[in-house]
Amino acid sequence: MSYDPSNIFARILRGEIPCKKVFESEHVLAFHDIGPKAPHHILVIPKGAYVSAQDFGEKASAAETQEFFQAIAKISADIGIAAGGYRLISNAGENANQEVPHFHMHILGGAPLGPMICRPA
Ligand code: 5GP
């Protein structure tokens, strides 16, 4: 799948639409999810044009990859959810219902999150 530069996170990166930013570095931006599914729900995205976790894992540089996971750890510590625990989710592709085709990691925390997944009936 080729990268679609009109996706909503690309527009956030270009400053065309606003976000509630929580972290920014050379390769990474993080902001609050517009529809939070937990007391803390942050989206962490690379600034590079990667469609999904698969695309990022195959093509991102070591610096981008390292900075991405360091950002997750820093954000989780800074917002106070690291000690109690949190969940990372990255939906990739059709079976995972990925809505926005720019790689992103959801950080969810701040309360017990229940079972990892509910299988459709
Ligand atoms: P996905 O299903 O692709 O893993 O998740 C996409 C996420 O992006 C959803 O949790 C949705 O609430 C969030 N989202 C969609 N549009 C916007 C937006 O314009 N701003 C922000 N901050 N989050 C968005």
Side-chain angles (χ1 to χ4, degrees):
M1 183 183 182
S2 61
Y3 185 80
D4 173 6
S6 70
N7 78 74
I8 200 90
F9 295 168
R11 296 185 64 201
I12 286 174
L13 283 168
R14 290 195 296 269
E16 293 169 6
I17 58 170
C19 71
K20 285 175 66 181
K21 182 167 78 175
V22 296
F23 175 89
E24 183 167 14
S25 62
E26 182 181 358
H27 298 300
V28 178
L29 180 68
F31 48 89
H32 291 274
D33 194 291
I34 204 168
K37 306 291 191 300
H40 293 279
H41 187 170
I42 307 292
L43 298 170
V44 185
I45 70 173
K47 291 183 176 176
Y50 301 102
V51 175
S52 66
Q54 186 67 27
D55 196 25
F56 186 74
E58 289 175 353
K59 297 178 190 156
S61 68
E64 288 174 298
T65 307
Q66 181 179 35
E67 201 176 295
F68 189 80
F69 283 96
Q70 286 176 337
I72 290 169
K74 177 170 172 38
I75 293 161
S76 301
D78 287 352
I79 65 175
I81 63 171
Y86 57 89
R87 182 170 293 159
L88 301 178
I89 297 175
S90 186
N91 296 313
E94 195 176 336
N95 281 352
N97 286 335
Q98 181 180 1
E99 290 173 16
V100 180
H102 180 111
F103 171 48
H104 51 283
M105 190 75 81
H106 299 255
I107 305 177
L108 296 149
L113 297 169
M116 184 168 68
I117 191 168
C118 296
R119 298 192 57 156

mmCIF file of all heavy atoms in Angstrom, residues 4 20 23 31 35 38 51-52 69 85 95 98 100:
data_model
loop_
_atom_site.group_PDB
_atom_site.id
_atom_site.type_symbol
_atom_site.label_atom_id
_atom_site.label_comp_id
_atom_site.label_asym_id
_atom_site.label_seq_id
_atom_site.Cartn_x
_atom_site.Cartn_y
_atom_site.Cartn_z
ATOM 1 N N ASP A 4 -0.617 7.644 1.552
ATOM 2 C CA ASP A 4 -1.566 8.673 1.103
ATOM 3 C C ASP A 4 -1.333 9.948 1.920
ATOM 4 O O ASP A 4 -1.706 10.012 3.094
ATOM 5 C CB ASP A 4 -2.998 8.165 1.310
ATOM 6 C CG ASP A 4 -4.032 9.237 1.022
ATOM 7 O OD1 ASP A 4 -3.650 10.342 0.558
ATOM 8 O OD2 ASP A 4 -5.220 8.990 1.279
ATOM 9 N N LYS A 20 -3.752 18.127 20.226
ATOM 10 C CA LYS A 20 -3.293 18.428 21.591
ATOM 11 C C LYS A 20 -1.971 17.697 21.796
ATOM 12 O O LYS A 20 -1.939 16.530 22.177
ATOM 13 C CB LYS A 20 -4.359 17.986 22.603
ATOM 14 C CG LYS A 20 -5.566 18.923 22.640
ATOM 15 C CD LYS A 20 -6.674 18.411 23.553
ATOM 16 C CE LYS A 20 -6.247 18.385 25.008
ATOM 17 N NZ LYS A 20 -7.345 17.848 25.880
ATOM 18 N N PHE A 23 4.159 15.607 23.044
ATOM 19 C CA PHE A 23 5.603 15.355 22.878
ATOM 20 C C PHE A 23 5.967 15.603 21.419
ATOM 21 O O PHE A 23 5.201 15.276 20.518
ATOM 22 C CB PHE A 23 5.928 13.896 23.237
ATOM 23 C CG PHE A 23 7.356 13.506 22.990
ATOM 24 C CD1 PHE A 23 8.319 13.682 23.968
ATOM 25 C CD2 PHE A 23 7.743 12.962 21.764
ATOM 26 C CE1 PHE A 23 9.649 13.330 23.727
ATOM 27 C CE2 PHE A 23 9.063 12.605 21.521
ATOM 28 C CZ PHE A 23 10.017 12.792 22.510
ATOM 29 N N PHE A 31 0.271 13.022 20.495
ATOM 30 C CA PHE A 31 -0.856 13.901 20.819
ATOM 31 C C PHE A 31 -2.006 13.063 21.353
ATOM 32 O O PHE A 31 -2.048 11.832 21.172
ATOM 33 C CB PHE A 31 -1.294 14.706 19.589
ATOM 34 C CG PHE A 31 -1.468 13.900 18.328
ATOM 35 C CD1 PHE A 31 -2.678 13.308 18.018
ATOM 36 C CD2 PHE A 31 -0.395 13.708 17.457
ATOM 37 C CE1 PHE A 31 -2.837 12.560 16.860
ATOM 38 C CE2 PHE A 31 -0.530 12.959 16.299
ATOM 39 C CZ PHE A 31 -1.755 12.383 15.998
ATOM 40 N N GLY A 35 -10.781 10.599 20.395
ATOM 41 C CA GLY A 35 -11.856 9.798 20.997
ATOM 42 C C GLY A 35 -11.278 8.846 22.024
ATOM 43 O O GLY A 35 -11.180 7.641 21.767
ATOM 44 N N ALA A 38 -9.538 5.336 27.109
ATOM 45 C CA ALA A 38 -9.026 5.097 28.457
ATOM 46 C C ALA A 38 -8.740 6.473 29.051
ATOM 47 O O ALA A 38 -8.695 7.473 28.307
ATOM 48 C CB ALA A 38 -7.754 4.256 28.392
ATOM 49 N N VAL A 51 3.064 3.878 6.325
ATOM 50 C CA VAL A 51 1.642 3.526 6.330
ATOM 51 C C VAL A 51 1.232 2.795 7.609
ATOM 52 O O VAL A 51 0.150 3.041 8.148
ATOM 53 C CB VAL A 51 1.313 2.629 5.110
ATOM 54 C CG1 VAL A 51 -0.131 2.155 5.152
ATOM 55 C CG2 VAL A 51 1.608 3.365 3.814
ATOM 56 N N SER A 52 2.084 1.909 8.084
ATOM 57 C CA SER A 52 1.696 0.979 9.150
ATOM 58 C C SER A 52 2.927 0.515 9.910
ATOM 59 O O SER A 52 4.072 0.820 9.522
ATOM 60 C CB SER A 52 1.023 -0.248 8.531
ATOM 61 O OG SER A 52 1.997 -0.949 7.748
ATOM 62 N N PHE A 69 10.493 4.456 20.165
ATOM 63 C CA PHE A 69 10.241 3.692 21.399
ATOM 64 C C PHE A 69 10.732 4.444 22.636
ATOM 65 O O PHE A 69 10.138 4.309 23.718
ATOM 66 C CB PHE A 69 10.814 2.278 21.277
ATOM 67 C CG PHE A 69 9.929 1.411 20.426
ATOM 68 C CD1 PHE A 69 10.189 1.225 19.082
ATOM 69 C CD2 PHE A 69 8.789 0.838 20.958
ATOM 70 C CE1 PHE A 69 9.342 0.464 18.283
ATOM 71 C CE2 PHE A 69 7.929 0.081 20.167
ATOM 72 C CZ PHE A 69 8.209 -0.108 18.831
ATOM 73 N N GLY A 85 1.223 0.588 34.760
ATOM 74 C CA GLY A 85 1.102 -0.248 33.565
ATOM 75 C C GLY A 85 0.216 0.378 32.511
ATOM 76 O O GLY A 85 -0.665 1.185 32.811
ATOM 77 N N ASN A 95 -7.488 -6.390 8.552
ATOM 78 C CA ASN A 95 -7.990 -7.267 9.616
ATOM 79 C C ASN A 95 -7.951 -6.603 10.980
ATOM 80 O O ASN A 95 -8.692 -6.984 11.892
ATOM 81 C CB ASN A 95 -7.196 -8.575 9.664
ATOM 82 C CG ASN A 95 -7.645 -9.549 8.588
ATOM 83 O OD1 ASN A 95 -8.629 -9.308 7.911
ATOM 84 N ND2 ASN A 95 -6.908 -10.634 8.425
ATOM 85 N N GLN A 98 -7.410 -0.845 10.850
ATOM 86 C CA GLN A 98 -6.641 0.398 10.882
ATOM 87 C C GLN A 98 -7.426 1.483 10.148
ATOM 88 O O GLN A 98 -7.779 1.328 8.984
ATOM 89 C CB GLN A 98 -5.271 0.208 10.220
ATOM 90 C CG GLN A 98 -4.417 1.476 10.256
ATOM 91 C CD GLN A 98 -3.047 1.299 9.599
ATOM 92 O OE1 GLN A 98 -2.727 0.219 9.080
ATOM 93 N NE2 GLN A 98 -2.247 2.347 9.608
ATOM 94 N N VAL A 100 -6.548 5.053 10.215
ATOM 95 C CA VAL A 100 -5.702 6.130 9.672
ATOM 96 C C VAL A 100 -4.421 5.508 9.107
ATOM 97 O O VAL A 100 -3.654 4.895 9.850
ATOM 98 C CB VAL A 100 -5.367 7.165 10.767
ATOM 99 C CG1 VAL A 100 -4.481 8.267 10.186
ATOM 100 C CG2 VAL A 100 -6.638 7.751 11.368
#
